[in-house]
C-alpha cells in the first residue's frame, strides 16, 4: 500500500495539511502525520492544536512513498531549522521518493538546505527571489522529477489531487473523487 508522511512542525499551515491529508485518505492512501517536536501535540499557525500519529523521531528510519511539507510562516522556518527533518527529506530524496512541499516550504526547507538541486519548483510570495538552488516556475503545482510543489493554500486541492494521481498511478479515481466533492480538477 502507498504510504505518505505529512510533517507537522509548530506553526504549520493547518489547511494545507488537513486538506492534503483528507484527500489522500479519501482515496485510500495511507497517511502518517509526524510531529516534528518532542511530543505528538503540535499547534498550528492559527493556534489550532493537533495530535499527530507519531513523532518524526519515532518514524525517522521508515521510508515513505512521499513526504509532504506544509508551509506556514513559522512552520516552514521550524521545518527548515530541524536537522532531523533535513535528514529525513534527504533520505527520501536520495531514494527517489516524492518530496512535496507546499507554500513557503519549498523555498525555506528545500532551498534553504540545498535540496532543490536545480529542479523546477513553486512557492508562495517572493521567497523564490532569495533562492539560488532551483528554478522557480509560477504555477499552481509544479512537478520536476520526484519534486512536486504547490504554490499555497489557494491551490491546495490541485496539489492534493495531483499528488494522489501520481501516487496511485491513475487519474480516473482522482477525477471521480474531485467530481464527487464538486471540485474541477
Amino acid at each position: 500500500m502507498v504510504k505518505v508522511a505529512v510533517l507537522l512542525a509548530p506553526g504549520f499551515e493547518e489547511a494545507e495539511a488537513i486538506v492534503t491529508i483528507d484527500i489522500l485518505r479519501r482515496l485510500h492512501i495511507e497517511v502518517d502525520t509526524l510531529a516534528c517536536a518532542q511530543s505528538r501535540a503540535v499547534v498550528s499557525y492559527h493556534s489550532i492544536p493537533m495530535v499527530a500519529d507519531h513523532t518524526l523521531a519515532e518514524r525517522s528510519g521508515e521510508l515513505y512513498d512521499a513526504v509532504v511539507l506544509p508551509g506556514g510562516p513559522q512552520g516552514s522556518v521550524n521545518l527548515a531549522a530541524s536537522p532531523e527533518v533535513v535528514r529525513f527529506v534527504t533520505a527520501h530524496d536520495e531514494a527517489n521518493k516524492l518530496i512535496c512541499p507546499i507554500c513557503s516550504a519549498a523555498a525555506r526547507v528545500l532551498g534553504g538546505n540545498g535540496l532543490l538541486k536545480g529542479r523546477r519548483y513553486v512557492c508562495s510570495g517572493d521567497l523564490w527571489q532569495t533562492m539560488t538552488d532551483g528554478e522557480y516556475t509560477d504555477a499552481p503545482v509544479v512537478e520536476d522529477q520526484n519534486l512536486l510543489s504547490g504554490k499555497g493554500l489557494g491551490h491546495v486541492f490541485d496539489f492534493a489531487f495531483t499528488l494522489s494521481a501520481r501516487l496511485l498511478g491513475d487519474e480516473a479515481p482522482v477525477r471521480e473523487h474531485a467530481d464527487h466533492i464538486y471540485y474541477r480538477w
Side-chain angles (χ1 to χ4, degrees):
M1 173 175 258
V2 177
K3 197 167 185 182
V4 177
V6 178
L7 304 187
L8 304 176
F12 71 95
E13 171 37 74
E14 56 276 310
E16 292 170 359
I18 295 299
V19 169
T20 302
I21 293 164
D22 178 88
I23 296 300
L24 291 170
R25 286 184 175 170
R26 284 174 187 253
L27 287 159
H28 308 289
I29 295 169
E30 190 173 341
V31 177
D32 277 351
T33 55
L34 305 181
C36 302
Q38 294 293 332
S39 76
R40 292 176 38 223
V42 186
V43 177
S44 74
Y45 178 42
H46 293 103
S47 302
I48 299 171
M50 187 167 164
V51 178
D53 298 317
H54 309 279
T55 64
L56 177 57
E58 292 170 344
R59 292 290 192 255
S60 63
E62 191 164 335
L63 204 57
Y64 292 83
D65 297 291
V67 177
V68 174
L69 302 126
Q74 194 57 49
S76 60
V77 166
N78 288 333
L79 287 172
S82 168
E84 189 176 31
V85 167
V86 173
R87 278 192 299 275
F88 189 76
V89 171
T90 299
H92 282 79
D93 195 22
E94 288 173 353
N96 205 35
K97 301 300 182 181
L98 288 173
I99 307 301
C100 308
I102 311 171
C103 199
S104 57
R108 289 194 175 124
V109 182
L110 301 184
N113 287 290
L115 299 174
L116 287 171
K117 299 179 182 176
R119 293 174 286 196
R120 292 179 310 106
Y121 71 97
V122 66
C123 66
S124 61
D126 60 2
L127 292 171
W128 63 273
Q129 293 178 350
T130 61
M131 296 298 108
T132 58
D133 185 19
E135 181 185 327
Y136 176 78
T137 303
D138 188 10
V141 178
V142 174
E143 295 182 71
D144 190 347
Q145 300 169 49
N146 67 321
L147 178 62
L148 189 153
S149 54
K151 189 165 189 172
L153 177 55
H155 299 289
V156 72
F157 279 94
D158 292 316
F159 172 85
F161 283 126
T162 301
L163 173 57
S164 297
R166 184 92 177 267
L167 288 167
L168 295 173
D170 185 2
E171 286 189 6
V174 178
R175 290 205 180 278
E176 182 178 309
H177 188 70
D179 289 343
H180 175 74
I181 65 166
Y182 306 105
Y183 186 77
R184 228 178 235 180
W185 179 71

